[in-house]
Amino acid sequence: MSARPWPGRAWLRRIPVRRIGACLGLLAVALSGLALGLFLFAATSVDVGPFRSTLTVSPSLNGDTEVDLPPLGSLWLDSHDGPAHLNVRLDSLDRARTEALITDPAGITVASRTAVDDVRAGVTRLLLRATAVAVLGAMLLTALIYRRMRQVAWAGGLALAVMAGSFGAAFGTFNPAALKEPRYEGLLANAPSVVGDAQRIADRYDEYAAQLQKLVENVGKLYATVQNLPVYAPDDGTLRVLHVSDLHLNPAAWSVIRTVVDNFHIDVVVDTGDITDWGSEPERAFVASISLLKVPYVFVRGNHDSAVTQAAVARQPNAIVLDDKVVTVAGLRIAGIGDPRFTPDKEQEPTGSGVSKQTLERIIEVGDTLANTIGEQPDQRVDLAMVHDPMSAGPLAGYAPVVLAGHRHVREVTRLGDGETLLMVEGSTGGAGLRGLEGDKPTPLALSVLYYDKDHKLMAYDDITVGGAGLAEVALSRHVIDDATAAPSAAGVTPTPR
């Protein structure tokens, strides 16, 4: 008795195995070409406010959106499900647009209103570009392998269908609340400032930007008010020096500085450091606004400023960087030295916190170094010395009549040594940067105007305070140096808020 054949064999013979294999092969080639096109060419640039950003899309099983914030780290948003991953990278500040924001009081408001439209236009352009390069990549790879128009056409159709399905799935699963629950990857110390307070900072900055124009207008009114202060009247021979410090990347600071320079007829601007936050390459564009001031700008490095930052400042046509040097600017002999530390992240570098014995010794040592440099020129009197940290000022007692510093974000004036040297610590001209918007009361912008007579003797100074977010107020206090008591006396005025 012969065995009967298994009936399934006939069914298998009827399956077009070769055709299925050919279809799977074509699909694999088309998807490979699609992926290759996306990885190589699916990127586009978009201007968002002052930033030049790069948007890319790539195949992914999880979807999501990644926002790169060099040098802080990355934010991951559960914005949508796969199979398309969106990457947004903030590459650099554009100099022309940054200057436009600084010079135009309404610039930040306009930029904030158009930011969403800029991103939307960029994403639309990215999707169109990604679809085009995906289809083209699939067709080109298929043409190289099969060399038949029919397969090339099929590959293009498959790629188009895959891209349409991918983007459709992304839009269908879009989660608008993802921004409230980001995942941060980077230095642990940066997480609170990048993630935890992001929404609060954004809300406050909208309010802050809305008040900028009123703030700058009020600073302009100060000049007229100052003329009515009877305790000291600067004459035509008075030399005016503007002391700023700790801008910390706040673009609003440049508007106020420029207004004070123009209205108070400033001869020299002196900056005691921390003009940036991280000293990174993208932050170099921020210092380009120095050239807009049209007066000499004397700078010493702070602990948030890197060698890259210092070099960027030095490249400005009106900037003078002091690092253990003495120069003559507008007739004043100015000595200065940079901070010995570079500690943008003090949590990661505890030796830069200012409490360790090693750090204290380094900070004091730079004061000794500058004092020695001044002492090597006994025939030439120094009118003004500049350091970043006030702890560096002690050794300079008796070597300069005035020492300027910053770092602490709190304004303070004291006497050094036997009282012959005045130490003037400035607040933060940048309102401590974005950190200043985290608290209930945003840090105000602080800067001071120093008045020197024809003999280069400090006669008086004005402390200017520009209110924080939501406070359209500018306060000015006039202090006259009283030789009899070796202490400043004060007369103040606060213009009515607008």
Side-chain angles (χ1 to χ4, degrees):
M1 182 177 178
S2 61
R4 297 180 61 185
W6 179 54
R9 292 180 180 177
W11 178 77
L12 286 174
R13 286 195 295 270
R14 290 195 295 271
I15 296 178
V17 177
R18 294 182 60 185
R19 181 173 297 178
I20 292 176
C23 291
L24 291 177
L26 179 62
L27 178 62
V29 171
L31 292 178
S32 298
L34 178 151
L36 187 62
L38 289 179
F39 280 120
L40 293 179
F41 304 107
T44 188
S45 296
V46 59
D47 297 333
V48 181
F51 286 99
R52 187 67 173 172
S53 307
T54 300
L55 278 62
T56 59
V57 64
S58 58
S60 170
L61 295 177
N62 299 323
D64 298 341
T65 297
E66 178 184 3
V67 182
D68 290 333
L69 304 167
L72 302 180
S74 300
L75 288 178
W76 289 76
L77 309 176
D78 186 18
S79 57
H80 62 279
D81 296 330
H85 173 75
L86 176 64
N87 179 274
V88 181
R89 179 181 177 86
L90 300 180
D91 293 318
S92 62
L93 286 168
D94 181 86
R95 173 172 177 172
R97 288 193 302 277
T98 303
E99 291 178 353
L101 289 180
I102 294 168
T103 56
D104 181 6
I108 294 178
T109 302
V110 174
S112 65
R113 291 174 180 172
T114 61
V116 175
D117 293 336
D118 293 339
V119 173
R120 184 182 293 114
V123 171
T124 301
R125 190 163 63 249
L126 174 65
L127 298 185
L128 294 175
R129 180 182 177 88
T131 301
V133 298
V135 172
L136 186 59
M139 295 176 70
L140 287 176
L141 187 59
T142 303
L144 289 174
I145 296 177
Y146 287 92
R147 300 180 183 276
R148 293 181 181 179
M149 288 301 301
R150 183 176 181 182
Q151 279 80 357
V152 171
W154 272 104
L158 286 172
L160 184 61
V162 169
M163 296 301 294
S166 300
F167 293 147
F171 282 113
T173 58
F174 177 67
N175 176 22
L179 185 61
K180 297 180 180 180
E181 298 179 352
R183 185 177 81 254
Y184 172 73
E185 292 184 1
L187 295 176
L188 180 61
N190 299 336
S193 60
V194 175
V195 180
D197 295 316
Q199 189 64 47
R200 179 168 54 174
I201 288 175
D203 293 342
R204 286 186 176 273
Y205 199 83
D206 287 341
E207 183 182 5
Y208 186 42
Q211 298 292 340
L212 280 180
Q213 187 170 2
K214 294 180 181 179
L215 295 177
V216 174
E217 288 175 356
N218 276 342
V219 173
K221 291 176 59 181
L222 279 177
Y223 184 69
T225 306
V226 168
Q227 308 311 305
N228 298 322
L229 294 176
V231 289
Y232 176 72
D235 56 32
D236 293 338
T238 299
L239 186 66
R240 295 167 170 85
V241 177
L242 176 62
H243 180 201
V244 302
S245 189
D246 297 85
L247 272 66
H248 286 292
L249 286 179
N250 188 348
W254 290 122
S255 297
V256 177
I257 291 172
R258 190 172 185 183
T259 302
V260 172
V261 167
D262 292 341
N263 288 331
F264 283 70
H265 305 290
I266 298 298
D267 298 291
V268 183
V269 178
V270 293
D271 185 339
T272 46
D274 279 0
I275 195 171
T276 60
D277 252 342
W278 297 92
S280 63
E281 288 282 344
E283 292 174 293
R284 293 184 305 168
F286 179 76
V287 308
S289 297
I290 291 174
S291 62
L292 299 177
L293 300 177
K294 308 302 182 183
V295 296
Y297 192 97
V298 185
F299 173 82
V300 294
R301 184 183 65 252
N303 62 295
H304 282 258
D305 302 319
S306 66
V308 171
T309 304
Q310 180 169 295
V313 172
R315 283 194 293 271
Q316 305 308 309
N318 58 322
I320 301 167
V321 174
L322 298 184
D323 199 1
D324 194 23
K325 292 172 59 179
V326 180
V327 297
T328 300
V329 183
L332 280 180
R333 292 282 292 172
I334 304 176
I337 192 168
D339 196 277
R341 304 159 293 179
F342 177 53
T343 54
D345 183 0
K346 295 180 182 178
E347 296 295 330
Q348 294 293 319
E349 302 180 58
T351 58
S353 63
V355 296
S356 70
K357 180 180 178 181
Q358 177 187 2
T359 300
L360 289 172
E361 290 176 349
R362 292 176 64 198
I363 296 171
I364 295 173
E365 183 181 355
V366 299
D368 285 322
T369 301
L370 185 59
N372 291 334
T373 300
I374 296 173
E376 292 172 356
Q377 306 176 41
D379 56 328
Q380 293 185 334
R381 178 179 182 270
V382 169
D383 302 304
L384 180 65
M386 298 169 58
V387 295
H388 176 64
D389 194 318
M391 288 191 296
S392 300
L396 294 167
Y399 285 87
V402 179
V403 179
L404 303 183
H407 185 63
R408 294 177 179 170
H409 299 180
V410 176
R411 182 183 281 142
E412 183 180 14
V413 178
T414 57
R415 290 282 178 174
L416 297 176
D418 295 331
E420 54 187 328
T421 296
L422 188 68
L423 172 61
M424 305 179 69
V425 181
E426 189 58 86
S428 175
T429 309
L434 288 180
R435 301 179 192 87
L437 299 178
E438 294 177 1
D440 294 332
K441 294 182 179 180
T443 304
L445 280 62
L447 58 170
S448 300
V449 179
L450 283 62
Y451 298 94
Y452 282 85
D453 65 10
K454 61 181 180 179
D455 296 322
H456 299 165
K457 180 180 178 181
L458 181 64
M459 302 301 296
Y461 60 93
D462 294 336
D463 285 335
I464 301 173
T465 303
V466 182
L471 301 175
E473 178 181 289
V474 179
L476 180 143
S477 295
R478 164 67 54 78
H479 304 266
V480 177
I481 305 300
D482 187 344
D483 290 331
T485 60
S489 59
V493 60
T494 301
T496 303
R498 293 187 55 179

